[in-house]
């Protein structure tokens, strides 16, 4: 028994999942945050470049598989129902509001809601819903792979307060969901029977109280750590407003005067340089634990960038392969096996999580 205990103490036994070594190993297995940022930016860019529902559905399935791999959770009906709702709502809304198209599904002879309801309007709305659901699935996978701390480390010092506020706001919905689940479990333990909308006050009141308590605890922790006491050093304070002003002028010139695009690009570069000079800090940010870039991270980021470049070139050369416009007569979206294979390459993280 003494030898077994000694071997466990030295690391020969099973490692504690809450030990620093296990946490570091788990962090290494989840890949570098920058690689995940490149993967997310590439996948989101592809989802914005195409409106073809086949490729969007395939990419949404890839994002769901990656999220399932990262969290260890199975793809349940509750999550699928959420995405189905995201797809169905724009489809039904466009069916009601849009009367264009030649394939009439139903026609009401009533003044306010009368007129033709077309299949083309329904398909166009469904394609927009598929795109929205695909983007949400990609961002959900990204949130499971990268923590808010990883993002805040890469925010310029001048934007750190805004970045921290945004990260706190993004964590509100998951915290509210966990609080809601805890309240429902407590009610079920006490023998409470659900009664529909009549249970709303009994759910909202403790949810608001728990949210306020969490906000107060967060505020006290920020004050205890000296939040707001630091000031930027090494750059005049007027550089940041000047940089944003120059950037706004560059955007206005780009949109209003396309003929002077060279001037707007030059002004944008100057604005970027001014913003970099105003937002940087003399003393560099310190990290307790350095992040190591491995070969698997290069493969993850490189494959995602390669697929994004392919779709970008196709959007410029042959946009018909990526677009879907059901008007004036409904038709099936185009399908290309090579493009589908390129989308499947984005599922590389499904097998690379945990690789060295």
């Amino acid at each position: 028994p003494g030898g077994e205990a000694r071997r466990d103490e030295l690391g020969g036994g099973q490692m504690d999942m809450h030990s620093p070594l296990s946490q570091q190993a788990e962090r290494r297995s989840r890949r570098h945050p920058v690689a995940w940022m490149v993967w997310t930016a590439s996948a989101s860019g592809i989802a914005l470049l195409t409106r073809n529902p086949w490729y969007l559905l395939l990419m949404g399935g890839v994002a769901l598989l990656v999220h399932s791999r990262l969290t260890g959770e199975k793809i349940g009906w509750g999550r699928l129902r959420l995405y189905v709702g995201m797809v169905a709502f724009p489809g039904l809304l466009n069916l009601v509001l849009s009367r264009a198209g030649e394939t009439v599904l139903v026609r009401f002879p009533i003044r306010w809601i009368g007129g033709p309801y077309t299949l083309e309007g329904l398909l166009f709305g469904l394609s927009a819903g598929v795109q929205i659901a695909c983007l949400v699935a990609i961002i959900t996978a990204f949130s499971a792979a990268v923590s808010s701390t990883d993002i805040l480390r890469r925010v310029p010092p001048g934007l750190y307060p805004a970045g921290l506020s945004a990260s706190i706001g993004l964590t509100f919905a998951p915290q509210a969901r966990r609080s809601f689940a805890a309240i429902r479990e407590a009610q079920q333990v006490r023998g409470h029977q659900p009664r529909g909308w009549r249970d709303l006050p009994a759910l909202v009141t403790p949810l608001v109280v728990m949210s306020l308590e969490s906000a107060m605890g967060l505020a006290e922790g920020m004050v205890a750590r000296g939040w707001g006491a630091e000031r930027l050093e090494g750059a005049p304070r007027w550089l940041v407003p000047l940089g944003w002003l120059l950037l706004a002028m560059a955007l206005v010139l780009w949109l209003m005067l396309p003929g002077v695009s060279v001037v707007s690009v030059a002004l944008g570069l100057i604005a970027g340089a001014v913003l970099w000079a105003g937002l940087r800090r003399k003393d560099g940010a310190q990290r307790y634990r350095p992040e190591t870039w491995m070969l698997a991270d290069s493969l993850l980021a490189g494959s995602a960038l390669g697929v994004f470049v392919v779709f970008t070139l196709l959007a410029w050369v042959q946009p018909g392969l990526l677009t879907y416009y059901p008007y004036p007569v409904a038709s099936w979206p185009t399908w290309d096996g090579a493009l589908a294979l390129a989308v499947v390459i984005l599922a590389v993280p499904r097998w690379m999580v945990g690789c060295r």
Side-chain angles (χ1 to χ4, degrees):
E4 294 291 335
R6 181 61 177 171
R7 186 165 62 251
D8 290 345
E9 183 181 353
L10 293 175
Q14 186 176 4
M15 185 167 47
D16 184 11
M17 293 306 295
H18 299 283
S19 65
L21 291 177
S22 64
Q23 292 177 0
Q24 188 174 3
E26 182 182 0
R27 186 178 182 83
R28 285 199 305 265
S29 68
R30 298 176 74 86
R31 304 272 58 87
H32 199 281
V34 175
W36 281 114
M37 292 178 184
V38 173
W39 181 87
T40 305
S42 302
S44 302
I46 294 171
L48 292 173
L49 284 174
T50 180
R51 282 293 295 268
N52 192 308
W54 298 131
Y55 306 140
L56 290 173
L57 286 172
L58 188 59
M59 191 178 306
V62 166
L64 287 177
L65 289 176
V66 172
H67 180 269
S68 175
R69 172 64 173 172
L70 289 169
T71 59
E73 301 175 356
K74 295 182 179 180
I75 304 175
W77 170 241
R79 183 176 297 277
L80 292 178
R81 184 171 53 187
L82 174 64
Y83 290 121
V84 169
M86 291 182 185
V87 174
F89 179 75
L92 296 177
L93 185 64
N94 197 70
L95 174 66
V96 173
L97 298 179
S98 176
R99 306 301 171 86
E102 298 183 3
T103 309
V104 179
L105 296 177
V106 65
R107 188 189 301 269
F108 294 109
I110 305 177
R111 180 177 181 181
W112 297 107
I113 63 173
Y117 292 85
T118 63
L119 176 63
E120 290 78 11
L122 177 63
L123 293 178
F124 188 80
L126 289 177
S127 64
V130 171
Q131 189 175 38
I132 295 172
C134 178
L135 289 170
V136 172
I138 293 171
I139 299 301
T140 303
F142 174 72
S143 64
V146 178
S147 64
S148 58
T149 305
D150 297 326
I151 300 177
L152 287 176
R153 282 181 176 180
R154 290 156 180 86
V155 172
L159 296 178
Y160 186 81
L164 183 60
S165 302
S167 65
I168 293 174
L170 290 175
T171 58
F172 171 76
Q175 289 179 356
R177 182 178 180 181
R178 288 192 293 268
S179 300
F180 178 79
I183 294 170
R184 292 297 301 267
E185 290 177 359
Q187 290 179 347
Q188 291 176 0
V189 168
R190 291 174 173 82
H192 178 75
Q193 298 295 331
R195 298 175 300 173
W197 290 102
R198 290 179 294 177
D199 291 338
L200 192 59
L203 290 172
V204 172
T205 302
L207 184 61
V208 172
V209 172
M210 294 176 68
S211 300
L212 291 176
E213 289 179 353
S214 177
M216 291 296 296
L218 178 62
E220 292 174 356
M222 294 173 66
V223 172
R225 289 167 174 81
W227 168 255
E230 296 183 352
R231 293 292 184 268
L232 289 176
E233 299 177 359
R237 301 183 63 179
W238 53 267
L239 280 180
V240 177
L242 178 61
W244 291 121
L245 178 61
L246 292 176
L247 184 61
M249 292 174 60
L251 290 176
V252 171
L253 286 177
W254 179 272
L255 296 175
M256 303 298 296
L257 300 174
V260 293
S261 57
V262 177
V263 178
S264 60
V265 170
L267 191 60
L269 293 176
I270 296 174
V274 173
L275 283 174
W276 178 82
L279 295 176
R280 72 186 182 93
R281 194 195 299 266
K282 274 188 174 181
D283 51 339
Q286 299 178 357
R287 297 181 181 179
Y288 293 105
R289 190 167 49 198
E291 297 167 342
T292 305
W293 185 276
M294 300 181 181
L295 179 61
D297 299 316
S298 300
L299 183 58
L300 171 61
S303 60
L305 279 176
V307 177
F308 176 71
V309 169
V310 169
F311 272 81
T312 304
L313 293 176
L314 284 176
W316 182 36
V317 178
Q318 292 184 346
L321 294 176
L322 304 180
T323 59
Y324 175 65
Y325 194 71
Y327 297 106
V329 181
S331 60
W332 286 99
T334 59
W335 171 265
D336 188 271
L339 287 180
L341 182 60
V343 173
V344 173
I345 295 177
L346 291 174
V348 166
R350 176 66 178 82
W351 296 277
M352 293 190 60
V353 174
C355 298
R356 295 267 180 164

